[in-house]
């Protein structure tokens, strides 16, 4: 069936947060024509009721998604709907169909038709079916998100016809696992929450000055020593005065089996996990484990215990380059993503300036200065990753000095890096901090828990436009999408990460999924209030809206 | 089939933590006779390999448990085994059978037979099948506990024959949700971990001076006001000096829907959830919400911000009794458990002594003193619960002054309360603090995080005997079992609760499941080291053993 050939349809491409469909129908005059008369299935006009006898019909290529639908409905319904192989939609059934000719849906889009008789989800690819299932879940009562059988609930889906697909491919969240270690179980839960919001990328920041979180078989001390710091600074570090520390060791890491589990769990939900192995700066934990990687091998450091930018930086000698490439080999083995993030930000060059052997290295390599050395350093990784069929991703500082064509830039300091990169023909993920850093305050400082000392209210996230005005149409195609960052200095536990993430991540989910255009914040907030019921059932610790938010 | 009629069998009743079955077989000479010769199913002698083609066979009454088996194997295996209705064990299948005549297994026991050809679990009741499934999970590689498909793993179960049933019915853990609010999702996860250890009771401490955690429809201020405290004391409160506070509001509560979800989730895993609504002491949060419940109605209190025993206590007037009985009505509506815990501990009587109207009340009721008033207070609840077909549970202070026959005593201050209660014909749950309080230090204070200022090492838990020596055989039958307590003053987040709970809860699980007799701590530790792999896969944040523990 061709979507474009269907005369009666509602066109929605903003369904990362679904509008209660009754609103959809009533808000769109002609849409009502789509709602057929009540028939024997269901007990009310204009809805399909999922009962125990409803079958899930799917052809072989759609069976895995049908099973996921059965899985996600089972706990709250208290029963598991049967999956039957088949291709023809049937009354009293939910049919999942992969139709490669379904035009205009792309790899991730779907068409969802709900009539009182049947539900049909059609997509060109399994990922589209999966996103359609997320919308279907949102159309059900919020109790569907509970993990045990809910009594006395009619599992009614209002009649709608939805054609829906994303604007951007890269719809990401970054979880930062170093400043405070994030348990594996929290990452798995977060992947579920991300899937519900139709995110496509989980960027895991795995190494930094304060800790190294990924087991590396060849270099076990990276986690044995680098995985643990002795204590942690208390409060903001940039307010002057004597710093106070908590005196409690902190750490943890993911085994390679843990990482395989995370990656597979995410892949099952069409989320690509992009690892970040930070270099050449933010290297203190690695240097603490292997002092020969640093600029002063005779110094025995410990992983850093405070926040900010540490001056310890990898040295640029061959053994260190090889060491890091070894680490990347294991990283690529664990993470099938085409994208491997190597950080590249905030590399203070003081140690490179001060060490004569490194100055000699700069001359030996025919470079002018430390900036060119950083560029050379990144290029070693860029070439290495490219040779292995992967694409390097880095924060916008990697632009300094030229990059391989396949490299991707994350523009965090502002839009400028992204603009320059797109103009230079690089793919770009827009992560400007004043729009996407979810570690900033989301409300009044008097009442909010301590956060990074900047502000990012919900409305600003919702009104963010990922394509900078300065780009022409061709350059704009270089913008892969955007993602929210959850730097965790001031998020001591997972509940706090959720508090900072939601609802801002829900706003960003709409920004990256929905079509360009003026955003109606009030309408978003109205939908968000519905959505909170889902987050409550899921026990996601979201921040409630201020009293002053629109109803 | 009658278990007792089977001539060849291994008798194990200590399988809350399963011994790797190869050890079982080799440690028991005759057991080897049970392991049939290798046949076509599986590729190695002496094991059954679960492959995608293995069917789960169950008669209608066992189908729900078969589905649970399919559910728990599915994530790591990456596929869901088919459940087929049937009664006859078949080669290449796992068969679950309910045989009400299966002698000696009781309501919770099971027989698990693994041969290279087939697996059969037999039980008299579904709960027994469920426990057999937990043992089967433990016999598989630890990777079975991961939540996404694990590649390149042979899901081999070593051949064993196990007949297993619990010593005690009440095998409990208490989660205390007040001092630090425990998110619903953590409680659900804890129920899963408890089920794996064959626990049968989750005691939820829901109200106290510092917070009220259960939504009560009739009295919404209990959670609106009583659910939140302004800040929390830092560190130990009994060390003298000026107390410091963290200045951060803390709180949260479970909606009635949340509680229904928890109760149902637990019931699906054969865990009974026993709620505790504390009275007449530990009442500050309720009195903060409704000052008329207290002894000084004119005082507007706030939920308490420090630890210890607060002197605010419910008044004994009729409206307060009615109020609390109203709360119990909603409690009984939410919790189907026969047991309703009303606390009763640590009720300081200073306010009862000081208030003339309460002194008059004592005289009006024909009582001698405040102790008799406490007893009268508890009896109002005892009678009320008994009238509703429930049994009151209370800490051992409820013994003072006489109790209804059905009341159950939790003996926490020591064994004496339990002994006295059993002799008086009351059922008893043994919870003596120096053996079951998991908030005590489990290792050296120099290296352990701050805890309650007492010690309870793992070995002491493992060697605990719930039946006091002072009891004769008939009195001993009054001991329903035991449970571990997780008072959370010094457990600021769920990960910390897990750290305090495990492995001590694993030790207690064996104490309450296994037959009486001398315990071999070294053998337990050896099995525990295997078990840690399971907890790691599950991401339970257990405490690792000290270097000095036996290998």
């Amino acid at each position: 069936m061709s979507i474009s050939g269907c005369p009666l349809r509602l066109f929605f491409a903003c369904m990362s947060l679904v509008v209660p469909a009754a609103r959809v129908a009533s808000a769109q005059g002609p849409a009502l024509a789509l709602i057929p008369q009540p028939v024997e299935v269901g007990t009310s006009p204009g809805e399909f009721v999922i009962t125990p006898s409803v079958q899930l019909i799917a052809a072989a290529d759609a069976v895995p998604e049908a099973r996921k639908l059965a899985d996600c409905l089972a706990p709250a319904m208290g029963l598991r709907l049967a999956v039957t192989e088949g291709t023809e939609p049937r009354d009293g059934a939910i049919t999942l169909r992969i139709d490669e000719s379904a035009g205009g849906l792309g790899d991730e889009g779907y068409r969802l038709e709900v009539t009182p008789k049947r539900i049909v989800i059609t997509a060109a690819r399994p990922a589209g079916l999966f996103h359609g299932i997320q919308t279907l879940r949102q159309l059900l009562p919020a109790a569907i998100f509970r993990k045990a059988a809910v009594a006395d609930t009619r599992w009614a889906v209002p009649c709608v016809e939805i054609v829906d697909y994303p604007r951007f491919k890269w719809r990401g969240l970054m979880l930062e696992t170093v400043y405070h270690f994030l348990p594996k179980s929290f990452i798995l839960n977060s992947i579920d929450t991300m899937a519900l919001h139709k995110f496509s990328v989980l960027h895991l920041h795995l190494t930094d000055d304060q800790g190294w979180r990924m087991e590396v078989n060849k270099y076990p001390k990276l986690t044995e020593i680098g995985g643990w710091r002795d204590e942690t600074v208390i409060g903001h570090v940039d307010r002057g005065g004597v710093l106070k520390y908590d005196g409690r060791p902190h750490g943890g890491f993911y085994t390679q089996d843990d990482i395989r589990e995370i990656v597979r769990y995410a892949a099952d939900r069409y989320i690509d996990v992009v690892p970040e192995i930070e270099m050449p700066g933010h290297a203190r934990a690695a240097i603490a484990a292997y002092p020969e990687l640093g600029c002063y091998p005779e110094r025995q450091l410990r992983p850093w215990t405070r926040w900010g930018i540490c001056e310890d930086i990898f040295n640029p000698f061959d053994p260190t380059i090889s060491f890091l490439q070894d680490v990347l080999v294991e990283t690529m083995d664990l993470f099938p993503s085409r994208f491997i993030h190597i950080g590249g930000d905030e590399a203070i060059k003081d140690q490179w300036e001060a060490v004569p052997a490194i100055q000699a290295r700069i001359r030996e390599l025919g470079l002018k200065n430390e900036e060119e050395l950083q560029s050379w350093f990144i290029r070693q990784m860029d070439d290495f990753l490219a040779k292995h069929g992967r694409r390097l991703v880095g924060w916008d500082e990697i632009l300094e000095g030229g990059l391989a064509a396949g490299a991707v830039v994350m523009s965090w300091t502002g839009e400028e890096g992204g603009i320059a990169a797109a103009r230079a023909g690089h793919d770009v993920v827009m992560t400007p901090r004043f729009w996407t850093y979810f570690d900033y305050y989301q409300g009044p400082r008097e009442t909010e828990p301590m956060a990074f000392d900047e502000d990012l209210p919900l409305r600003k996230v919702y009104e963010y436009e990922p394509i900078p005005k300065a780009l022409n149409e061709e350059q704009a195609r270089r913008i892969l999408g955007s993602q929210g960052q959850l730097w965790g200095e001031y998020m001591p536990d997972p509940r706090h990460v959720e508090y900072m993430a939601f609802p801002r991540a829900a706003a960003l989910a709409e920004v990256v999924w929905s079509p360009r255009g003026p955003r109606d914040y009030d309408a978003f907030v109205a939908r968000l209030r519905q959505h909170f019921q889902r987050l409550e059932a899921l026990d996601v610790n979201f921040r409630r809206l201020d009293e002053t938010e629109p109803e």
Side-chain angles (χ1 to χ4, degrees), chain A residues 132 165 179 187 225 231 244 280 313 351 377 396 424 460 481 528:
Chain A
Y165 51 82
Y179 300 160
I187 293 183
I225 293 173
E231 56 182 355
K244 277 194 221 167
I313 184 169
Q351 297 186 346
F377 197 113
D396 49 38
K460 192 169 175 187
L528 197 56

Side-chain angles (χ1 to χ4, degrees), chain A residues 163 221 306 402 497:
Chain A
V163 176
K221 286 196 284 186
R306 49 158 291 179
V497 176

Side-chain angles (χ1 to χ4, degrees), chain A residues 8-191:
Chain A
L8 290 175
R9 61 190 176 96
L10 262 180
F11 189 94
F12 279 97
C14 54
M15 302 302 288
S16 65
L17 284 186
V18 125
V19 189
R23 289 177 53 100
V24 172
S26 62
Q28 310 274 338
L32 287 169
L34 284 179
I35 303 176
Q37 293 311 301
V39 289
E40 61 271 52
V41 178
T43 58
S44 299
E47 64 189 21
F48 179 94
V49 180
I50 305 182
T51 62
S53 63
V54 165
Q55 285 199 323
L56 306 184
I57 300 176
D61 56 357
V63 161
E65 303 314 313
R67 293 212 169 112
K68 289 177 199 171
L69 175 56
D71 285 345
C72 75
L73 299 179
M77 289 188 63
L79 61 96
R80 210 168 176 286
L81 299 180
V83 176
T84 310
E85 276 207 38
T87 53
E88 275 314 300
R90 221 183 287 156
D91 282 359
I94 302 173
T95 307
L96 272 57
R97 310 180 345 147
I98 291 183
D99 176 358
E100 293 187 7
S101 69
L105 296 175
D107 287 348
E108 298 193 276
Y110 64 91
R111 176 193 178 113
L112 169 64
E113 300 160 277
V114 180
T115 74
K117 282 191 171 179
R118 55 176 67 171
I119 294 178
V120 181
I121 309 179
T122 309
R125 308 259 173 218
L129 290 181
F130 184 81
H131 294 317
I133 289 169
Q134 303 314 310
T135 297
L136 179 57
R137 295 170 80 195
Q138 294 188 33
L139 289 168
L140 282 159
I144 197 65
F145 293 99
R146 295 197 177 267
K147 293 192 173 58
V150 181
D152 307 325
T153 301
R154 288 180 73 244
W155 301 110
V157 186
C159 291
V160 284
E161 183 165 353
I162 293 169
V163 176
D164 191 25
Y165 51 82
R167 178 179 176 205
F168 292 108
K169 279 200 169 180
W170 190 298
R171 306 181 302 279
L173 278 185
M174 185 198 77
L175 287 179
E176 180 273 295
T177 67
V178 174
Y179 300 160
H180 290 94
F181 177 65
L182 298 178
K184 179 191 77 178
S185 48
F186 173 70
I187 293 183
L188 298 179
N189 283 345
S190 299
I191 289 168

Side-chain angles (χ1 to χ4, degrees), chain A residues 227-253:
Chain A
W228 305 87
R229 63 175 179 261
D230 300 323
E231 56 182 355
T232 302
V233 69
I234 295 171
H236 287 116
V237 295
D238 49 0
R239 297 273 170 89
V242 179
L243 295 180
K244 277 194 221 167
Y245 293 84
D246 67 2
R248 292 191 53 185
H250 181 90
F253 64 90

Side-chain angles (χ1 to χ4, degrees), chain A residues 205 207-209 212 276-288 290 292-295 301 309-317 320-321 323-325 328 341-352 358 369-382 392-400 403:
Chain A
H205 184 83
T207 74
D208 214 307
D209 297 311
W212 184 285
E276 179 178 356
I277 307 293
E278 176 88 63
M279 62 189 81
H282 290 298
R284 167 97 167 216
I287 295 170
Y290 295 96
E292 63 269 30
L293 301 174
C295 298
L301 303 170
I309 308 174
C310 177
E311 64 174 10
D312 294 298
I313 184 169
F314 289 121
N315 72 51
F317 302 118
T320 298
I321 300 295
F323 179 103
L324 290 170
Q325 291 177 343
L328 289 180
H341 201 306
I342 52 76
D345 60 312
E346 299 181 331
I348 303 182
K349 316 284 190 309
D350 295 7
Q351 297 186 346
W352 283 357
I358 295 177
N369 52 29
E370 294 75 28
E371 281 64 42
E372 288 203 352
L373 181 59
Q374 152 129 358
S375 175
W376 173 88
F377 197 113
I378 299 296
R379 215 155 45 233
Q380 304 312 301
M381 304 304 153
D382 196 1
L392 177 145
V393 185
W395 301 106
D396 49 38
E397 289 95 325
I398 65 167
L399 275 169
E400 301 157 12
L403 269 182

Side-chain angles (χ1 to χ4, degrees), chain A residues 170-176 194 199 201-205 395 410 412 429-433 435-440 456 461 464 481-487 491 497 500-501 504-509 511-512:
Chain A
W170 190 298
R171 306 181 302 279
L173 278 185
M174 185 198 77
L175 287 179
E176 180 273 295
M194 288 176 69
F199 280 102
V201 175
L202 168 59
H203 167 184
L204 282 185
H205 184 83
W395 301 106
M410 272 195 181
W412 77 278
V429 179
M430 292 302 293
T431 57
R433 64 198 190 99
W435 287 268
T436 67
Y437 271 39
F438 296 161
D439 52 329
Y440 293 3
L456 178 54
V461 177
Y464 174 58
S482 179
Q483 72 178 28
Q485 275 56 244
L486 287 152
W487 298 103
M491 305 178 198
V497 176
M500 299 304 280
R504 290 185 291 192
L508 186 70
V511 166
V512 289

